[in-house]
Amino acid sequence: MIPPCDMLVFGGTGDLALHKLLPALYHLHRDGRLPKDMRILALARKSLSRAAYQALAERHCRAQVARADFDADTWQRFAERLDYLAMDAGQSADYGRLARHLGQSCQRGRIYYMATAPDLFEDIAASLGTAGLVTEDSRIVLEKPIGHSLASAQAINAAIGAAFAEPQIFRIDHYLGKETVQNLMALRFANALFEPVWRAGHIDHVQISVCETLGVENRGAYYDRAGAMRDMVQNHLLQLLCLVAMEAPVRFDAEAVRNEKVKILEALKPIQGLDVRDKTVRGQYGAGRIGGHDVPAYYFEKNVDNDSDTETFVALQAEIDNWRWAGVPFYLRTGKRLAKKTSEIVIQFKPVPHHLFKGDEANRLLIRLQPEERISLQLMAKTPGKGMHLEPVELDLNLAQAFQQRRWDAYERLLLDVIEGDSTLFMRRDEVEAAWQWIDPILQGWQQHYQSPRSYPAGSSGPEQAHSLLELGGREWLG
Ligand SMILES: NC(=O)C1=CN([C@@H]2O[C@H](COP(=O)(O)OP(=O)(O)OC[C@H]3O[C@@H](n4cnc5c(N)ncnc54)[C@H](OP(=O)(O)O)[C@@H]3O)[C@@H](O)[C@H]2O)C=CC1
Ligand SMILES: O=C1O[C@H](COP(=O)(O)O)[C@@H](O)[C@H](O)[C@H]1O
């Protein structure tokens, strides 16, 4: 039985709240997983009545939720949970009004979801504390990226830590809520098969790619200050790298899992100074075509500076200085406006030590997160008939087919974890800071030695230099 609680969404009219959080909460409500009388209070500066907010939420949920899952009765009951209060979260004076609005529910557990820009996080936490709105039963959820550098992340973490204890803080990275990402842990730690070969002696290299066809949409103002490194690499891609590389935790609980992830982040070999020219590639999309439509160059997107040198693409070669991974390159790649949307991890094994057959290829394990959830192992097999002709075949596990039930969106899983108080799939303070510790020198190196991103046409596979990064080691991007 989950104790009663309410959720307050700072930034309740924003893109994240309307496109991700509300549809996820609707699904949880529909499945009967929300605490019975949980209220959801959206907060933003815009003046809106409760009814107007409910209508706004309905419009977005209808668009996001599959038609078969949306029905008027369920919506009506969900909408009764929704409330709205206009306030400026940066003004401490507004928190008295918030406390009065909450009234009796001040006695209940509360989840504060920070769906605003990170520069408001410190003020919000301090004002909640001063207004007496933080109790033992309170939790706070922070969206990524936390800060824009190590120093700013430390300042945010310190300010949040002054009002909330670490177990009350949930730093969300929605990639950790994706089913296949969790399946990566199941694959590694529930199957004895892989452990003996999951190391430098048997693995040639690892590739982690998150490629998007979308541009910056209506998030130009945020994105132009962040760029792909802060938006994607510092969090999602490094989290995936941690899950591939970490040692088996002693238990599947928050502390044990996060202890192992931190060790990996701390073992990342620094990339600094002129290294950035050999080990990283920054790109920015120019005009091009995606899905049969012309799309503009990044610097013509709404709210983006016309002279912007913000990167919309990053490729880099990381190395982990520890016993298991010494000498194994981890190639990371992410970008917007690329030819196709795919998120995947490829583990490329080394070739057999002695070649008996012509044309044999090394084994490869593919873990695909998007568009379909799939794990597939490429093995060599003999083609039927005379002679020993080999071809790669796939041992394929299509997770959607294997488990024929509705796939949960990452935010559903993670919001439920917050409600239930399970922080295993959330980032701890030291994890976030260790990630920035590695990212900061790259950003500084870029400022000094790599100011201008390489241009790539929208709809392509990114800048040429991203291919050269692998070709130098006799490799290529797979997929
Ligand atoms: N959008 C996405 O897909 C993702 C977003 N994130 C993160 O989530 C956070 C929110 O992003 P996103 O939804 O895209 O941003 P938006 O710009 O779309 O939304 C920002 C929200 O904050 C509100 N807001 C801004 N200033 C204040 C203020 N002073 N007081 C109260 N409310 C305020 C805005 O409403 P108003 O102007 O009316 O006050 C709006 O509701 C960011 O930290 C982002 O990095 C993370 C992953 C994905
Ligand atoms: O956090 C973010 O993630 C999305 C990509 O998420 P996905 O689940 O669709 O792969 C990205 O578009 C956005 O820029 C970033 O802030």
Side-chain angles (χ1 to χ4, degrees):
M1 165 76 178
I2 310 168
C5 68
D6 291 326
M7 184 176 288
L8 283 75
V9 183
F10 286 91
T13 57
D15 184 89
L16 178 75
L18 294 173
H19 290 103
K20 298 283 188 187
L21 304 182
L22 287 174
L25 288 165
Y26 169 82
H27 275 299
L28 290 174
H29 164 87
R30 186 171 179 271
D31 290 353
R33 291 181 185 268
L34 292 184
K36 198 167 147 280
D37 51 358
M38 176 178 161
R39 287 199 308 168
I40 300 161
L41 174 61
L43 306 158
R45 287 168 302 181
K46 190 173 180 177
S47 171
L48 281 178
S49 65
R50 181 176 180 214
Y53 185 73
Q54 288 167 334
L56 177 73
E58 179 174 0
R59 219 170 40 248
H60 282 86
C61 284
R62 269 187 193 278
Q64 302 297 322
V65 172
R67 198 174 275 204
D69 295 337
F70 195 94
D71 67 87
D73 279 357
T74 311
W75 173 261
Q76 198 44 49
R77 283 195 300 280
F78 177 68
E80 283 161 17
R81 295 177 183 269
L82 296 180
D83 194 5
Y84 181 80
L85 178 71
M87 67 174 278
D88 185 339
Q91 296 295 326
S92 53
D94 280 11
Y95 286 75
R97 212 154 44 80
L98 172 61
R100 284 194 295 283
H101 189 89
L102 290 170
Q104 284 309 310
S105 76
C106 274
Q107 314 309 319
R108 296 152 55 90
R110 277 182 306 269
I111 296 165
Y112 298 111
Y113 200 112
M114 305 290 106
T116 66
D119 50 16
L120 275 174
F121 294 176
E122 292 172 66
D123 283 351
I124 296 176
S127 301
L128 286 172
T130 312
L133 290 171
V134 181
T135 65
E136 269 182 9
D137 300 326
S138 305
R139 290 175 195 148
I140 187 163
V141 187
L142 306 179
E143 265 296 343
K144 48 103 329 209
I146 296 180
H148 52 86
S149 61
L150 175 59
S152 57
Q154 283 169 331
I156 291 174
N157 280 332
I160 303 291
F164 294 84
E166 183 63 26
Q168 295 176 289
I169 305 172
F170 290 72
R171 297 178 190 83
I172 202 163
D173 182 313
H174 78 273
Y175 265 63
L176 295 181
K178 289 183 189 280
E179 284 288 337
T180 327
V181 174
Q182 292 159 51
N183 250 310
L184 171 58
M185 286 191 274
L187 183 84
R188 286 197 58 199
F189 305 131
N191 296 287
L193 203 61
F194 291 106
E195 169 53 21
V197 292
W198 207 263
R199 59 191 64 247
H202 295 277
I203 291 179
D204 178 74
H205 73 277
V206 175
Q207 298 185 10
I208 301 176
S209 299
V210 178
C211 304
E212 298 186 79
T213 49
L214 286 181
V216 291
E217 310 303 299
N218 53 1
R219 299 173 67 217
Y222 150 76
Y223 195 89
D224 205 33
R225 286 188 294 145
M229 187 63 120
R230 294 183 175 93
D231 186 49
M232 296 294 289
V233 180
Q234 190 273 344
N235 32 81
H236 304 325
L237 276 87
L238 285 185
Q239 285 295 317
L240 295 180
L241 177 145
C242 285
L243 296 182
V244 172
M246 73 188 201
E247 297 300 316
V250 286
R251 289 174 303 280
F252 189 63
D253 71 19
E255 291 321 304
V257 170
R258 299 187 299 183
N259 287 345
E260 296 307 331
K261 286 198 285 164
V262 172
K263 287 184 203 160
I264 293 298
L265 293 167
E266 289 176 349
L268 283 169
K269 187 175 183 161
I271 300 178
Q272 53 202 357
L274 281 168
D275 287 352
V276 296
R277 299 195 73 91
D278 300 330
K279 298 274 175 68
T280 74
V281 178
R282 308 178 70 204
Q284 187 188 88
Y285 61 83
R289 277 179 82 73
I290 302 223
H293 298 286
D294 289 334
V295 295
Y298 172 71
Y299 48 79
F300 283 142
E301 298 276 20
K302 201 169 113 202
N303 295 327
V304 168
D305 191 337
N306 287 354
D307 290 329
S308 174
D309 58 14
T310 297
E311 78 285 352
T312 59
F313 178 97
V314 177
L316 58 83
Q317 178 180 339
E319 281 163 69
I320 301 168
D321 274 341
N322 70 9
W323 194 283
R324 187 183 284 269
W325 295 112
V328 178
F330 280 67
Y331 297 105
L332 311 188
R333 169 177 65 157
T334 184
K336 293 204 178 277
R337 288 282 189 234
L338 295 174
K340 54 183 181 172
K341 177 175 172 74
T342 66
S343 302
E344 62 189 26
I345 300 168
V346 179
I347 314 289
Q348 177 66 57
F349 290 93
K350 290 187 170 165
V352 291
H354 175 63
H355 296 272
L356 284 183
F357 310 111
K358 255 199 193 151
D360 60 0
E361 289 177 27
N363 301 134
R364 180 182 300 162
L365 178 68
L366 169 82
I367 299 149
R368 180 163 289 162
L369 281 48
Q370 290 168 162
E372 77 279 13
E373 296 176 353
R374 205 179 119 206
I375 296 177
S376 102
L377 181 62
Q378 183 183 294
L379 300 170
M380 294 309 295
K382 178 189 167 302
T383 55
K386 192 173 170 300
M388 282 302 284
H389 299 291
L390 304 194
E391 269 186 26
V393 288
E394 312 258 316
L395 205 58
D396 212 347
L397 173 59
N398 182 318
L399 294 161
Q401 275 170 17
F403 303 102
Q404 300 206 340
Q405 56 201 65
R406 187 178 72 79
R407 315 299 288 165
W408 282 39
D409 178 75
Y411 276 99
E412 280 176 63
R413 161 74 201 250
L414 295 174
L415 284 169
L416 192 59
D417 284 353
V418 177
I419 292 167
E420 292 177 353
D422 179 354
S423 46
T424 308
L425 298 177
F426 294 79
M427 294 176 291
R428 206 168 55 193
R429 175 180 182 160
D430 52 349
E431 228 180 301
V432 172
E433 294 179 7
W436 279 118
Q437 181 97 42
W438 187 71
I439 295 286
D440 262 8
I442 304 179
L443 293 171
Q444 283 152 16
W446 281 356
Q447 253 176 18
Q448 287 160 12
H449 306 291
Y450 198 161
Q451 192 82 45
S452 308
R454 316 286 181 191
S455 181
Y456 62 95
S460 69
S461 61
E464 275 305 309
Q465 289 78 2
H467 296 283
S468 317
L469 184 73
L470 272 76
E471 280 159 18
L472 285 174
R475 304 179 176 109
E476 59 179 353
W477 290 105
L478 306 160

